[in-house]
Amino acid sequence: MKQNLIISPEVEAALAANRPVVALESTVIAHGLPRPQNLETAQRLERIVRDEGAMPATIAVLEGKLCVGLEQNQVELIGNDDDIKKLSTRDLAVAVARGLNGATTVASTLWVAHRAGIQVFATGGIGGVHRGSLPDVSADLPELGRTPMVVVCSGAKIVLDLPATREWLETNAVTVVGYGCDEMPAFYARKSGLPVDARCDSPEEVAQLFRTQRDLGMATALLVTVPVPAAAEVPDALLNKILNESLGDADRSNVTGRDLTPFLLARMAELSNGATLRANIALLENNARVAAQIANKLH
Ligand code: PSU
Ligand code: MN
């Protein structure tokens, strides 16, 4: 894998010196947020991680190389190129063999970050079990089930079947932590009605749990769920309305597979006049901060 992996000099130096590093994904830049907020947010997330004293490592595939830590022009390519692919774990070998560019999802970012030696990863909302009768299960879930990393998120994306996603995590031994909360957050909303396995109120507590998982030889991720900041939460009534409308639109337009999540996120942002976009950015920023604070305690 070494010849296909390019770790930026800054990230390489941090890893070699055992300093804290936080991995960031690139699908949220390419397909999760509209322009120009996508690039602004990508930059903000890196800044937030640095301000907390950790090293950001945004991950993407460029010309067939698994890149860990991107230059400004590389982030811009991911954010501005209309044809940038969404690469999940199953797509990595194809992208590498053919020298392609692509943005990495939670699943593929986990795969690369772990092999680069990174322990902490921040994102917005993980993928999960989709609603509907076809079992459409995001590759994010199995990757969480076999990657020993701390993953900081705001739960699974609200467009998903959240109870089914919660069950999947339980079955596959992924411990779910509520960070300052007793129930799993629901992405744009602070509450889902679904339980967490343990509550942690500080970065130290999370670090201690993660170390214990390692000591026990567990190979699963520790999923740290952080509610969206209250000021940016989307009210329930509005959320239900736009969610139902977006799901109906996707169904009528036959949107499926890898296009479904980006379609639903974009449609909800439109229907809510940007309220879901503001929530998404607020939770991404907050999660990057919490992830950096946890990374600091692991070193
Ligand atoms: N979190 C966000 N916005 C996003 C995503 C996560 O706030 O766009 C992306 C992640 O990259 C995640 C992907 O892995 O959506 C899930 O897609 P799918 O349901 O097709 O597996
Ligand atoms: Mn899918």
Side-chain angles (χ1 to χ4, degrees):
M1 129 144 222
K2 274 246 164 66
Q3 74 273 19
N4 299 312
L5 185 69
I6 297 182
I7 303 182
S8 75
E10 263 190 324
V11 173
E12 181 87 71
L15 289 168
N18 201 24
R19 289 198 305 268
V21 176
V22 174
L24 300 165
E25 54 141 325
S26 46
T27 290
V28 63
I29 309 171
H31 305 107
L33 301 170
R35 295 174 202 157
Q37 289 92 338
N38 61 345
L39 282 180
E40 290 163 12
T41 305
Q43 280 159 359
R44 281 278 301 153
L45 298 183
E46 295 213 355
R47 169 94 341 253
I48 288 166
V49 171
R50 282 180 200 274
D51 286 348
E52 292 292 336
M55 178 62 64
T58 304
I59 292 179
V61 181
L62 296 168
E63 296 175 10
K65 297 293 178 201
L66 309 175
C67 295
V68 178
L70 303 183
E71 301 294 331
Q72 184 51 34
N73 65 314
Q74 297 176 314
V75 179
E76 283 169 13
L77 178 92
I78 296 287
N80 289 334
D81 182 351
D82 283 328
D83 298 323
I84 205 84
K85 293 184 170 56
K86 172 177 166 183
L87 305 175
S88 191
T89 321
R90 72 180 191 277
D91 306 306
L92 284 178
V94 177
V96 169
R98 299 186 178 168
L100 305 178
N101 292 336
T104 50
T105 63
V106 169
S108 49
T109 303
L110 275 171
W111 199 90
V112 175
H114 176 56
R115 282 153 187 86
I118 301 174
Q119 298 194 84
V120 181
F121 169 35
T123 184
I126 58 166
V129 181
H130 278 271
R131 299 170 194 237
S133 50
L134 175 75
D136 176 355
V137 180
S138 174
D140 293 358
L141 292 181
E143 219 53 57
L144 287 165
R146 59 175 168 242
T147 311
M149 285 184 71
V150 177
V151 177
V152 181
C153 66
S154 296
K157 282 187 287 287
I158 186 86
V159 300
L160 300 163
D161 181 335
L162 297 185
T165 302
R166 179 73 191 90
E167 290 296 336
W168 196 101
L169 292 165
E170 181 179 319
T171 304
N172 291 275
V174 178
T175 305
V176 179
V177 167
Y179 194 77
C181 57
D182 297 300
E183 42 182 283
M184 253 181 110
F187 198 43
Y188 302 142
R190 290 174 61 82
K191 291 189 166 184
S192 66
L194 298 165
V196 295
D197 299 309
R199 174 182 173 133
C200 288
D201 290 298
S202 68
E204 289 86 350
E205 268 185 272
V206 176
Q208 193 216 354
L209 260 183
F210 184 63
R211 268 191 229 102
T212 308
Q213 277 198 340
R214 300 287 73 72
D215 291 345
L216 293 174
M218 300 223 157
T220 48
L222 184 65
L223 191 68
V224 178
T225 62
V226 190
V228 59
E233 184 180 29
V234 181
D236 264 358
L238 174 63
L239 194 50
N240 288 333
K241 182 173 163 289
I242 59 170
L243 182 58
N244 286 330
E245 221 171 308
S246 306
L247 290 166
D249 290 345
D251 199 36
R252 279 186 292 277
S253 319
N254 285 315
V255 185
T256 58
R258 78 178 84 222
D259 300 328
L260 182 57
T261 297
F263 175 91
L264 291 170
L265 297 181
R267 192 76 189 109
M268 286 199 292
E270 258 166 44
L271 293 171
S272 68
N273 288 317
T276 61
L277 180 57
R278 285 188 291 278
N280 204 342
I281 292 171
L283 65 87
L284 280 163
E285 293 183 353
N286 192 47
N287 295 349
R289 188 172 307 111
V290 171
Q293 291 166 354
I294 294 167
N296 281 327
K297 296 298 172 191
L298 283 171
H299 290 267

PDB file of all heavy atoms in Angstrom, residues 207-218:
ATOM      1  N   ALA A 207     -10.958   9.641  25.724  1.00  0.00           N
ATOM      2  CA  ALA A 207      -9.617   9.079  25.512  1.00  0.00           C
ATOM      3  C   ALA A 207      -9.427   7.830  26.364  1.00  0.00           C
ATOM      4  O   ALA A 207      -8.884   6.814  25.905  1.00  0.00           O
ATOM      5  CB  ALA A 207      -8.548  10.123  25.832  1.00  0.00           C
ATOM      6  N   GLN A 208      -9.931   7.884  27.588  1.00  0.00           N
ATOM      7  CA  GLN A 208      -9.782   6.739  28.485  1.00  0.00           C
ATOM      8  C   GLN A 208     -10.558   5.519  27.952  1.00  0.00           C
ATOM      9  O   GLN A 208     -10.056   4.398  27.974  1.00  0.00           O
ATOM     10  CB  GLN A 208     -10.281   7.135  29.881  1.00  0.00           C
ATOM     11  CG  GLN A 208      -9.891   6.146  30.953  1.00  0.00           C
ATOM     12  CD  GLN A 208     -10.986   6.001  32.006  1.00  0.00           C
ATOM     13  OE1 GLN A 208     -11.991   6.726  31.983  1.00  0.00           O
ATOM     14  NE2 GLN A 208     -10.795   5.071  32.909  1.00  0.00           N
ATOM     15  N   LEU A 209     -11.776   5.773  27.458  1.00  0.00           N
ATOM     16  CA  LEU A 209     -12.566   4.681  26.881  1.00  0.00           C
ATOM     17  C   LEU A 209     -11.877   4.064  25.667  1.00  0.00           C
ATOM     18  O   LEU A 209     -11.835   2.843  25.497  1.00  0.00           O
ATOM     19  CB  LEU A 209     -13.928   5.220  26.421  1.00  0.00           C
ATOM     20  CG  LEU A 209     -15.130   5.006  27.311  1.00  0.00           C
ATOM     21  CD1 LEU A 209     -16.380   5.553  26.630  1.00  0.00           C
ATOM     22  CD2 LEU A 209     -15.303   3.515  27.563  1.00  0.00           C
ATOM     23  N   PHE A 210     -11.338   4.923  24.831  1.00  0.00           N
ATOM     24  CA  PHE A 210     -10.687   4.435  23.613  1.00  0.00           C
ATOM     25  C   PHE A 210      -9.448   3.605  23.965  1.00  0.00           C
ATOM     26  O   PHE A 210      -9.218   2.539  23.404  1.00  0.00           O
ATOM     27  CB  PHE A 210     -10.312   5.609  22.702  1.00  0.00           C
ATOM     28  CG  PHE A 210      -9.733   5.178  21.386  1.00  0.00           C
ATOM     29  CD1 PHE A 210     -10.492   4.438  20.483  1.00  0.00           C
ATOM     30  CD2 PHE A 210      -8.425   5.497  21.031  1.00  0.00           C
ATOM     31  CE1 PHE A 210      -9.959   4.032  19.258  1.00  0.00           C
ATOM     32  CE2 PHE A 210      -7.892   5.100  19.811  1.00  0.00           C
ATOM     33  CZ  PHE A 210      -8.663   4.368  18.928  1.00  0.00           C
ATOM     34  N   ARG A 211      -8.682   4.099  24.928  1.00  0.00           N
ATOM     35  CA  ARG A 211      -7.495   3.341  25.358  1.00  0.00           C
ATOM     36  C   ARG A 211      -7.899   1.971  25.908  1.00  0.00           C
ATOM     37  O   ARG A 211      -7.251   0.968  25.648  1.00  0.00           O
ATOM     38  CB  ARG A 211      -6.733   4.115  26.441  1.00  0.00           C
ATOM     39  CG  ARG A 211      -5.653   4.992  25.860  1.00  0.00           C
ATOM     40  CD  ARG A 211      -4.742   5.526  26.948  1.00  0.00           C
ATOM     41  NE  ARG A 211      -4.590   6.960  26.764  1.00  0.00           N
ATOM     42  CZ  ARG A 211      -5.196   7.890  27.460  1.00  0.00           C
ATOM     43  NH1 ARG A 211      -5.985   7.566  28.474  1.00  0.00           N
ATOM     44  NH2 ARG A 211      -5.015   9.155  27.187  1.00  0.00           N
ATOM     45  N   THR A 212      -8.995   1.948  26.629  1.00  0.00           N
ATOM     46  CA  THR A 212      -9.462   0.680  27.186  1.00  0.00           C
ATOM     47  C   THR A 212      -9.876  -0.279  26.072  1.00  0.00           C
ATOM     48  O   THR A 212      -9.567  -1.474  26.120  1.00  0.00           O
ATOM     49  CB  THR A 212     -10.634   0.923  28.162  1.00  0.00           C
ATOM     50  OG1 THR A 212     -10.224   1.904  29.112  1.00  0.00           O
ATOM     51  CG2 THR A 212     -11.034  -0.353  28.875  1.00  0.00           C
ATOM     52  N   GLN A 213     -10.559   0.252  25.054  1.00  0.00           N
ATOM     53  CA  GLN A 213     -10.916  -0.601  23.899  1.00  0.00           C
ATOM     54  C   GLN A 213      -9.672  -1.216  23.279  1.00  0.00           C
ATOM     55  O   GLN A 213      -9.656  -2.388  22.904  1.00  0.00           O
ATOM     56  CB  GLN A 213     -11.631   0.232  22.823  1.00  0.00           C
ATOM     57  CG  GLN A 213     -13.107   0.435  23.064  1.00  0.00           C
ATOM     58  CD  GLN A 213     -13.825   0.864  21.778  1.00  0.00           C
ATOM     59  OE1 GLN A 213     -13.210   1.347  20.827  1.00  0.00           O
ATOM     60  NE2 GLN A 213     -15.129   0.695  21.763  1.00  0.00           N
ATOM     61  N   ARG A 214      -8.624  -0.404  23.154  1.00  0.00           N
ATOM     62  CA  ARG A 214      -7.359  -0.898  22.568  1.00  0.00           C
ATOM     63  C   ARG A 214      -6.761  -1.977  23.479  1.00  0.00           C
ATOM     64  O   ARG A 214      -6.340  -3.019  23.014  1.00  0.00           O
ATOM     65  CB  ARG A 214      -6.338   0.220  22.387  1.00  0.00           C
ATOM     66  CG  ARG A 214      -6.734   1.388  21.470  1.00  0.00           C
ATOM     67  CD  ARG A 214      -6.725   1.011  20.003  1.00  0.00           C
ATOM     68  NE  ARG A 214      -7.855   0.148  19.679  1.00  0.00           N
ATOM     69  CZ  ARG A 214      -9.115   0.560  19.613  1.00  0.00           C
ATOM     70  NH1 ARG A 214      -9.418   1.818  19.844  1.00  0.00           N
ATOM     71  NH2 ARG A 214     -10.084  -0.268  19.325  1.00  0.00           N
ATOM     72  N   ASP A 215      -6.758  -1.691  24.789  1.00  0.00           N
ATOM     73  CA  ASP A 215      -6.196  -2.656  25.732  1.00  0.00           C
ATOM     74  C   ASP A 215      -6.918  -3.998  25.652  1.00  0.00           C
ATOM     75  O   ASP A 215      -6.318  -5.053  25.809  1.00  0.00           O
ATOM     76  CB  ASP A 215      -6.302  -2.146  27.179  1.00  0.00           C
ATOM     77  CG  ASP A 215      -5.386  -0.962  27.439  1.00  0.00           C
ATOM     78  OD1 ASP A 215      -4.477  -0.729  26.608  1.00  0.00           O
ATOM     79  OD2 ASP A 215      -5.580  -0.268  28.454  1.00  0.00           O
ATOM     80  N   LEU A 216      -8.222  -3.942  25.406  1.00  0.00           N
ATOM     81  CA  LEU A 216      -9.013  -5.172  25.322  1.00  0.00           C
ATOM     82  C   LEU A 216      -8.858  -5.848  23.962  1.00  0.00           C
ATOM     83  O   LEU A 216      -9.390  -6.927  23.740  1.00  0.00           O
ATOM     84  CB  LEU A 216     -10.492  -4.853  25.568  1.00  0.00           C
ATOM     85  CG  LEU A 216     -10.850  -4.383  26.984  1.00  0.00           C
ATOM     86  CD1 LEU A 216     -12.323  -3.974  27.043  1.00  0.00           C
ATOM     87  CD2 LEU A 216     -10.575  -5.472  28.010  1.00  0.00           C
ATOM     88  N   GLY A 217      -8.169  -5.169  23.053  1.00  0.00           N
ATOM     89  CA  GLY A 217      -7.957  -5.741  21.727  1.00  0.00           C
ATOM     90  C   GLY A 217      -9.167  -5.641  20.822  1.00  0.00           C
ATOM     91  O   GLY A 217      -9.343  -6.447  19.902  1.00  0.00           O
ATOM     92  N   MET A 218     -10.027  -4.674  21.066  1.00  0.00           N
ATOM     93  CA  MET A 218     -11.211  -4.507  20.223  1.00  0.00           C
ATOM     94  C   MET A 218     -10.828  -3.831  18.913  1.00  0.00           C
ATOM     95  O   MET A 218     -10.021  -2.918  18.896  1.00  0.00           O
ATOM     96  CB  MET A 218     -12.233  -3.638  20.937  1.00  0.00           C
ATOM     97  CG  MET A 218     -12.665  -4.258  22.237  1.00  0.00           C
ATOM     98  SD  MET A 218     -14.415  -4.110  22.419  1.00  0.00           S
ATOM     99  CE  MET A 218     -14.732  -5.423  23.554  1.00  0.00           C
TER     100      MET A 218
END
